[in-house]
């Protein structure tokens, strides 16, 4: 079902009817241009912050973006640059060269004295990227390597900003980006050399593209369909961790529409979820073929995958770390929501904003308050979808964000330094839920008196 686009707020003339959710802060004028300026400033500020942070690291490992995996990626990248990308079936050697002996796999006591460690348990995409940057910049030029993920992050955030401005209007689009920037995890690993920064960038592009497909008129063109599949493939070649985000990210966005019913709407949802998932699955199959080729056959690869999957999925770790049983999974999820997410490097104080939005969406059907000096401004929240559907939107976003953590118990237990980033989708969807129903305008008859008037 096609849906009429919301007119961009920047083109809403004074006195004209406002689209749903229009936000006006000045008499008779929209804030569309201000929204565009704010969005541009936010994107530039994120990029500048990451360039500054990366410059401060010199040639060292990031203190934020998983230094363990960075060390492995840098060593394996030097191996690719020296030996070629086809050696060992294209899989990375995490011990090559011996750089950063105190970090990553090389620091593991069980591997002391080993000369090689060919890693089969994750796709080699991040290692390939560092290998390419090593060929271009030279061995040890870590600062040069970081230019690529930062550029990808800035471009992805710019695409999301463009999508927000074109689908929500200038004011709400700018506000959505500001709220997103309030969560430091939206940009603080942009400089990372492993998968985390790239994966979040790809997710932001997927979300922005999904918004454009859902909220702007026209059919799903082949170019966009191919783009969705390629985004899923790229995610699957980076890591397994984003499988549920890639497959389900469009569901809460689709549910945010007032009446996404009919055959065309269902086909639209199927395309937005199945195409990225298919691309992701293809990447995983290619990685499995890599491992089978390296280990000498499909049975050996299946055994390798089964052992790793059982460790990430199953009961307590042999060291006694992760809590076991069904309740152990919920305990880990509780720790993520109430302990890890509120940390300053993740949502920080924005976690309270998320909780407030969720409470507003689930409890308050609509609201209207007058604020400011002389009660000059009227703030109205009147969402286009009913309370039950708002709850469904939040549940869908929570499911996409939390399923990996809930299922992969051991993996989640040992990686709270980057897996909370999965909840950025939930935070972003909550933003849209708030802004879609929000209007801020001057109260009738409250215009400011001219100079000299009583």
């Amino acid at each position: 079902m096609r849906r009429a686009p919301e007119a961009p707020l920047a083109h809403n003339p004074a006195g004209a009817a406002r689209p749903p959710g229009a936000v006006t802060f000045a008499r008779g004028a929209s804030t569309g241009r201000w929204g565009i300026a704010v969005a541009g400033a936010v994107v530039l500020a994120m990029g500048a912050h990451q360039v500054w942070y990366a410059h401060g690291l010199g040639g060292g490992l990031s203190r934020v973006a998983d230094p363990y995996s960075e060390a492995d990626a840098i060593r394996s990248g030097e191996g690719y640059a020296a030996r070629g990308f086809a050696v060992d079936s294209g899989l990375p050697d995490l011990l090559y060269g011996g750089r950063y002996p105190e970090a990553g796999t090389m620091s593991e006591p069980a591997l002391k004295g080993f000369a090689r460690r060919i890693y089969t348990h994750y796709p080699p995409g991040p290692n390939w990227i560092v290998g390419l940057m090593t060929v271009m910049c030279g061995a040890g030029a870590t600062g040069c390597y970081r230019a690529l993920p930062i550029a990808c992050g800035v471009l992805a955030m710019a695409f999301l900003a463009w999508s927000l401005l074109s689908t929500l209007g200038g004011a709400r689009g700018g506000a959505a980006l500001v709220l997103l920037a309030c969560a430091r995890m939206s940009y603080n690993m942009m400089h990372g050399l492993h998968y985390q920064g790239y994966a979040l960038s790809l997710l932001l592009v997927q979300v922005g593209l999904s918004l454009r497909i859902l909220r702007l008129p026209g059919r799903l063109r082949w170019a966009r369909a191919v783009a969705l599949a390629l985004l899923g493939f790229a995610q699957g070649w980076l890591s397994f961790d984003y499988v549920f985000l890639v497959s389900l990210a469009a569901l809460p966005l689709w549910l945010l529409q007032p009446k996404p019913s009919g055959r065309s709407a269902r086909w639209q949802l199927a395309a937005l979820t199945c195409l990225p998932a298919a691309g992701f699955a293809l990447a995983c199959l290619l990685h499995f073929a890599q491992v089978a080729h390296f280990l000498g056959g499909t049975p050996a690869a299946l055994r390798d995958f089964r052992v790793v999957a059982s460790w990430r999925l199953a009961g307590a770790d042999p060291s006694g770390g992760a809590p076991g049983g069904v309740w152990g999974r919920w305990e880990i999820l509780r720790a993520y929501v109430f302990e890890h997410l509120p940390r300053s490097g993740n949502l920080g104080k924005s976690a309270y904003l998320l909780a407030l939005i969720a409470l507003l969406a689930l409890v308050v059907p609509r609201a209207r308050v007058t604020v400011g000096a002389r009660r000059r401004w009227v703030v109205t929240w009147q969402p286009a979808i009913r309370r039950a559907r708002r709850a469904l939107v939040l549940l869908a976003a929570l499911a996409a964000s939390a399923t990996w953590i809930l299922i992969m118990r051991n993996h989640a237990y040992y990686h709270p330094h980057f897996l909370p980033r999965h909840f950025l989708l939930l935070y972003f969807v909550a933003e849209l839920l708030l802004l879609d129903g929000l209007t801020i305008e001057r109260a009738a008859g409250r215009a400011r008196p001219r100079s000299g008037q009583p």
Side-chain angles (χ1 to χ4, degrees):
M1 178 182 294
R2 295 185 181 182
R3 182 179 176 216
E6 296 178 357
L9 300 187
H11 300 125
N12 190 38
R18 288 182 296 274
V23 183
T24 50
F25 293 93
R27 181 173 47 190
S30 82
T31 56
R33 292 181 181 178
W34 281 106
I36 295 171
V38 166
V42 168
V43 172
L44 291 176
M46 288 179 176
H49 176 273
Q50 288 298 281
V51 169
W52 169 79
Y53 185 86
H55 178 73
L57 293 174
L61 300 173
S62 172
R63 297 180 295 273
V64 176
D66 192 10
Y68 187 106
S69 297
E70 275 201 343
D72 288 347
I74 292 169
R75 286 191 294 266
S76 61
E78 292 183 9
Y80 284 125
R83 303 166 62 223
F85 287 80
V87 174
D88 298 318
S89 303
L91 295 168
D93 181 359
L94 305 186
L95 301 182
Y96 183 88
R99 194 181 297 275
Y100 303 117
E102 76 290 349
T105 300
M106 198 166 186
S107 66
E108 296 287 344
L111 294 174
K112 292 295 183 182
F114 279 67
R116 304 177 72 221
R117 171 71 163 96
I118 307 304
Y119 196 61
T120 60
H121 302 160
Y122 263 105
N127 310 78
W128 282 17
I129 294 172
V130 179
L132 177 62
M133 296 304 292
T134 305
V135 171
M136 297 175 61
C137 302
T142 310
C144 180
Y145 304 165
R146 297 192 189 279
L148 181 61
I150 292 175
C152 290
V154 170
L155 290 174
M157 195 63 71
F159 179 82
L160 178 65
W162 174 57
S163 299
L164 289 170
L165 294 170
S166 59
T167 57
L168 304 183
R172 285 184 296 158
L177 206 65
V178 169
L179 290 175
L180 186 65
C182 289
R184 293 180 63 186
M185 64 183 182
S186 65
Y187 63 89
N188 64 353
M189 290 191 188
M190 198 181 284
H191 65 281
L193 296 179
H194 207 252
Y195 88 88
Q196 292 89 353
Y198 293 111
L200 189 61
S201 296
L202 290 172
L203 181 65
L204 294 179
V205 172
Q206 182 183 343
V207 167
L209 182 58
S210 298
L211 281 173
R212 294 186 61 81
I213 292 170
L214 288 168
R215 298 200 173 203
L216 297 179
R219 296 179 179 177
L220 177 61
R221 295 192 293 270
W222 279 107
R224 291 180 175 179
V226 171
L228 287 170
L230 288 177
L231 287 168
F233 180 87
Q235 288 277 22
W237 200 243
L238 289 172
S239 151
F240 298 135
D241 301 5
Y242 273 50
V243 57
F244 299 108
L245 287 166
V246 169
S247 303
L248 300 175
L251 178 58
L253 301 176
W254 183 81
L255 289 169
L256 270 172
Q257 299 177 100
K259 292 182 179 180
S261 58
R263 180 178 298 179
S264 61
R266 289 193 292 270
W267 274 109
Q268 190 178 57
L269 175 63
L272 289 172
T273 54
C274 293
L275 287 171
F280 196 100
L282 177 59
C284 293
L285 286 174
L286 287 177
H287 174 57
F288 179 82
Q290 261 190 311
V291 176
H293 184 269
F294 175 73
L295 295 180
T298 299
L302 285 173
R303 284 194 299 271
D304 186 71
F305 274 58
R306 185 167 56 250
V307 168
V308 176
S310 65
W311 184 88
R312 292 171 180 164
L313 278 165
D317 181 81
S319 65
V326 174
W327 289 110
R329 300 185 190 279
W330 292 105
E331 171 58 25
I332 291 172
L333 181 60
R334 184 209 60 79
Y336 267 78
V337 172
F338 294 104
E339 297 174 19
H340 304 318
L341 264 182
R343 291 177 180 170
S344 61
N346 295 322
L347 278 183
K349 294 182 179 179
S350 298
Y352 299 106
L353 176 61
L354 173 59
L356 180 62
I357 294 173
L359 182 65
L360 179 68
L362 299 177
V363 176
V364 181
R366 61 185 58 85
R368 181 182 176 90
V369 295
T370 307
V371 298
R374 301 182 183 180
R375 301 174 67 83
R376 186 175 297 153
W377 301 102
V378 177
V379 181
T380 305
W381 189 68
Q382 188 171 356
I385 57 177
R386 295 182 177 181
R387 186 160 42 187
R389 193 173 191 88
R390 300 200 294 268
L392 194 58
V393 167
L394 292 176
L395 283 174
L398 177 62
S401 300
T403 301
W404 177 270
I405 292 162
L406 189 60
I407 293 177
M408 300 294 182
R409 174 175 51 206
N410 278 359
H411 188 262
Y413 181 81
Y414 288 106
H415 297 87
H417 47 297
F418 59 80
L419 287 181
R421 297 158 65 79
H422 288 207
F423 289 90
L424 192 65
L425 177 67
L426 173 62
Y427 177 72
F428 179 75
V429 168
E431 285 183 35
L432 295 184
L433 188 60
L434 174 69
L435 293 172
D436 266 346
L438 188 68
T439 61
I440 305 175
E441 54 193 343
R442 283 189 182 277
R446 297 282 181 179
R448 182 188 303 174
R450 294 180 180 177
S451 179
Q453 291 184 346

